[in-house]
């Protein structure tokens, strides 16, 4: 095969993730050229809900794929809309990084140790809703920016803490700045958080074959369940939703355990449900749990939540820090 042109955003995290995929492809015997692409989400300083929400980081890269300017694209999976993109296929979902959220706080504090009135920064309604539901008495402030910007809010004293995805900090080698890895019992991650999607054109059988060796079946099963839940909820860009699927050992072999959250941003409504299902039916498991949430009140919650603007991004929208 000729050299694979791998498209990526220009951010430090995106190029790090793409570099990791490129190295795996080179180990498999392929030549890889990195092609940097600027997306609307990279150049706009507006809140993501104002410029289109889901897909603002992925759209330009997907156009480059469809136009034949690149052969392969690497995305943070939670950047991608749940609806399939005609003409493209996610050929590989590599092994997932730790999907949990983390706290970076002043004085080495944990979430539970933050004094009442502390100011915590996040751009995510999902995190806002779950932290508010904990009743810790902290103020949550919407923020946007890359890892340096967000952590800088803490080191400068502008904020007492920020909440980020552990996966992004791990890939950037910055886990030493984490003061707490937050248990999913408190804060469920975004669907697909910590996972990468390696995408290519569906009519390029040669590229699909080259990339598919990177696929991790356990990771794919988990993220399919999480994204199926999100798609069935039809959460839109304003519904705070968290989800985490894990492979577990059942009586008859491997199963999937799926936990989900839906709630109001002020923390007054909190729905947490879970379900276990067959390993080989992740899409069905996700849609079943979503229907349970809808029956238990998530449908009404979505109507109320979507009536007004929210800061930055929803749980399945892209975060600049992964």
């Amino acid at each position: 095969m000729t050299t694979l042109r791998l498209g990526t955003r220009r951010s430090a995290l995106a190029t790090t993730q793409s570099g990791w995929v490129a190295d795996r492809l080179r180990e498999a015997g392929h030549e890889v050229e990195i092609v940097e692409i600027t997306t609307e989400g990279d150049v706009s300083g507006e809140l993501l809900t104002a410029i289109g929400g889901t897909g603002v980081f992925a759209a330009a890269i997907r156009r480059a794929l469809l136009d034949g300017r690149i052969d392969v694209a690497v995305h943070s999976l939670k950047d991608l809309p749940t609806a399939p993109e005609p003409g493209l296929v996610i050929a590989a979902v590599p092994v997932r990084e730790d999907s949990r959220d983390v706290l970076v706080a002043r004085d080495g504090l944990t979430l539970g140790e933050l004094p009442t009135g502390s100011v915590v920064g996040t751009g995510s309604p999902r995190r806002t809703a779950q932290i508010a539901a904990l009743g810790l008495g902290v103020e949550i402030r919407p923020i946007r920016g890359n890892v340096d910007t967000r952590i800088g809010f803490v080191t400068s004293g502008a904020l007492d803490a920020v909440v980020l995805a552990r996966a992004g900090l791990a890939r950037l080698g910055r886990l030493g700045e984490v003061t707490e890895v937050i248990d999913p019992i408190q804060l469920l991650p975004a669907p697909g958080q910590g996972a990468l999607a390696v995408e290519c054109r569906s009519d390029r059988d040669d590229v699909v074959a080259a990339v598919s060796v990177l696929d991790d079946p356990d990771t794919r099963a988990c993220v399919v369940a999480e994204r199926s839940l999100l798609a069935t909820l039809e959460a839109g860009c304003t519904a705070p939703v968290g989800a985490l699927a894990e492979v577990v050992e059942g009586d008859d072999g491997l199963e999937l355990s799926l936990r989900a959250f839906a709630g109001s941003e002020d923390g007054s409504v909190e729905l947490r449900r879970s379900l276990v299902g067959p390993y080989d039916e992740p899409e069905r498991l996700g849609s079943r749990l979503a229907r349970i949430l809808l029956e238990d009140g998530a449908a009404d919650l979505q109507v109320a939540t979507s009536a007004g603007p929210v800061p930055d991004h929803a749980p399945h929208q892209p975060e600049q820090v992964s």
Side-chain angles (χ1 to χ4, degrees):
M1 178 183 293
T2 57
T3 300
L4 290 169
R5 297 164 297 168
L6 189 152
T8 179
R9 290 170 50 211
R10 297 174 182 270
S11 73
L13 179 57
T15 54
T16 298
Q17 292 175 167
S18 297
W20 183 90
V21 171
D23 287 343
R24 304 290 84 74
L25 289 171
R26 290 181 184 118
E27 289 170 2
H30 304 288
E31 293 185 9
V32 181
E33 173 192 354
I34 300 292
V35 180
E36 294 185 353
I37 297 171
T38 300
T39 72
E40 183 179 6
D42 294 316
V43 298
S44 175
E46 295 186 73
L47 296 179
L48 298 187
T49 48
I51 59 174
T54 303
V56 295
F57 290 123
I61 296 174
R62 284 181 150 177
R63 282 196 299 272
L65 269 178
L66 291 168
D67 293 345
R69 288 179 281 131
I70 59 175
D71 305 302
V72 180
V74 178
H75 311 278
S76 290
L77 188 59
K78 67 177 183 177
D79 285 9
L80 295 182
T82 54
E85 181 72 11
L88 300 181
V89 62
I90 297 175
V93 181
V95 63
R96 190 182 204 170
E97 260 287 358
D98 191 324
S99 64
R100 293 175 294 177
D101 284 318
V102 297
L103 191 76
V104 177
R106 63 173 176 84
D107 305 322
L109 296 174
T110 65
L111 195 57
E113 293 170 342
L114 288 171
T116 299
S118 294
V119 183
V120 179
T122 176
S124 164
R126 168 188 61 83
R127 291 172 178 149
T128 297
Q130 292 184 86
I131 293 171
L134 293 174
L136 300 175
V138 299
E139 176 188 344
I140 304 168
R141 186 170 299 171
I143 59 171
R144 191 181 170 195
N146 59 26
V147 168
D148 286 331
T149 299
R150 296 190 186 206
I151 293 179
F153 290 138
V154 177
T155 56
S156 69
L159 298 175
D160 295 296
V162 293
V163 183
L164 307 169
R166 186 188 183 281
L169 295 181
R171 289 174 177 135
L172 291 170
R174 301 188 64 168
L175 288 177
E177 295 168 86
V178 171
T179 59
E180 180 186 15
V181 179
I182 304 173
D183 194 306
I185 292 174
Q186 295 180 298
L187 202 59
L188 277 173
Q193 184 162 301
L196 301 178
V198 187
E199 193 172 44
C200 57
R201 282 172 49 159
S202 55
D203 62 357
R204 288 292 304 276
D205 292 342
D206 55 338
V207 179
V208 172
V211 168
S212 61
V213 298
L214 304 183
D215 195 64
D216 179 67
D218 288 355
T219 299
R220 183 179 283 270
C222 289
V223 300
V224 166
E226 295 164 14
R227 285 166 61 80
S228 172
L229 176 136
L230 190 60
T232 304
L233 284 176
E234 296 179 343
C237 64
T238 59
V241 175
L244 179 62
E246 298 169 288
V247 179
V248 297
E249 188 70 43
D251 293 338
D252 299 317
L254 294 181
E255 295 180 324
L256 284 179
S257 171
L258 178 61
R259 292 178 279 170
F261 162 89
S264 60
E265 281 193 77
D266 63 4
S268 61
V269 179
E270 178 185 20
L271 297 174
R272 289 183 180 270
R273 302 292 184 268
S274 61
L275 200 62
V276 176
Y279 177 89
D280 58 357
E281 296 181 359
E283 191 167 0
R284 181 168 175 265
L285 176 64
S287 62
R288 283 175 58 205
L289 186 53
R291 286 194 293 272
I292 291 172
L293 284 168
L294 291 169
E295 291 168 3
D296 290 349
D300 297 333
L301 176 66
Q302 287 171 248
V303 171
T305 305
S306 60
V310 296
D312 208 334
H313 67 87
H316 66 298
Q317 288 181 289
E319 252 183 280
Q320 287 180 292
V321 294
S322 182

